[in-house]
Amino acid sequence: MQSQMCLGSGAVLKQTPLSGVKEFKAVVLREEPMSREQTMCDTPEKAAQFWFEHVEDAARFTPGVENFVVLLLNTRRRIIGWQIVSTGTLDTLLVHAREVFKVAIVANAAALVLMHNHPSGDPTASEADIRVTRDLVRGGQLLKIEVLDHVIVGQATNERPKAYQSLRERGYYHQ
């Protein structure tokens, strides 16, 4: 008898009981379309561009609330995949390292770019954003998966010409 457990990453773990020992197999269920050529993601600008071109049009993206996304990168800093890890409320989002790194491990990612949106349009980091980022950076160090940046997406204004804020550029965490 076989049972299945769905992973948030679009993968399924298939479980086959055998003498009391469980065997797990990860299988991709659904992939979001990506360009034929892997996208380079070595700056916050490129991460924000990826968000606007791909994430906001995804079936799982929920406009009007916070969405936490993980971009999965290979050793050459090219995007090999991405996932909406958590969907929150108007101004709150629950993120746990287990969900963030589960998809990274399954995808064999060398590095991550964390991203989320602020529905208010103001990409300024909150204390909670900074705290979660630091926790995830520490988790990545333990797993040897580098957290390159945390980019918060909002809307550009006359006073704020960028529609995003990079926590790395702002100096909120150190690798």
Side-chain angles (χ1 to χ4, degrees):
M1 170 157 232
Q2 223 178 42
S3 63
Q4 295 183 354
M5 178 174 67
C6 184
L7 295 176
S9 63
V12 168
L13 290 179
K14 289 187 177 180
Q15 183 180 37
T16 308
L18 177 69
S19 305
V21 177
K22 298 176 183 178
E23 177 183 352
F24 293 94
K25 176 182 177 185
V27 179
V28 175
L29 289 179
R30 181 189 71 205
E31 293 181 353
E32 293 290 339
M34 295 213 18
S35 64
R36 190 139 166 69
E37 200 172 293
Q38 292 176 328
T39 305
M40 176 67 82
C41 188
D42 56 355
T43 65
E45 292 84 8
K46 290 180 182 175
Q49 179 182 355
F50 185 88
W51 177 282
F52 293 120
E53 291 176 0
H54 298 278
V55 176
E56 288 186 346
D57 294 332
R60 284 201 57 223
F61 181 79
T62 308
V65 299
E66 293 194 12
N67 295 263
F68 191 90
V69 172
V70 177
L71 302 184
L72 308 163
L73 282 66
N74 65 15
T75 56
R76 303 277 185 200
R77 304 300 187 244
R78 296 190 181 278
I79 299 172
I80 57 173
W82 63 278
Q83 180 192 23
I84 296 175
V85 174
S86 180
T87 302
T89 64
L90 183 63
D91 61 354
T92 306
L93 190 62
L94 181 61
V95 179
H96 194 280
R98 177 179 46 248
E99 280 72 34
V100 170
F101 290 105
K102 176 172 47 178
V103 68
I105 291 167
V106 168
N108 201 27
L112 305 176
V113 173
L114 311 173
M115 301 186 77
H116 81 278
N117 64 314
H118 281 175
S120 68
D122 182 359
T124 304
S126 68
E127 287 299 318
D129 294 337
I130 296 164
R131 196 170 37 257
V132 165
T133 301
R134 288 183 175 149
D135 289 347
L136 292 173
V137 167
R138 282 194 295 271
Q141 289 169 339
L142 290 171
L143 294 169
K144 305 293 186 224
I145 299 173
E146 188 177 3
V147 177
L148 298 175
D149 204 343
H150 184 164
V151 178
I152 302 172
V153 179
Q155 295 173 348
T157 64
N158 290 337
E159 300 82 36
R160 191 180 52 248
K162 290 185 191 178
Y164 64 90
Q165 181 181 83
S166 161
L167 270 63
R168 176 177 287 284
E169 284 182 349
R170 301 286 297 177
Y172 285 125
Y173 75 96
H174 308 290
Q175 275 301 95

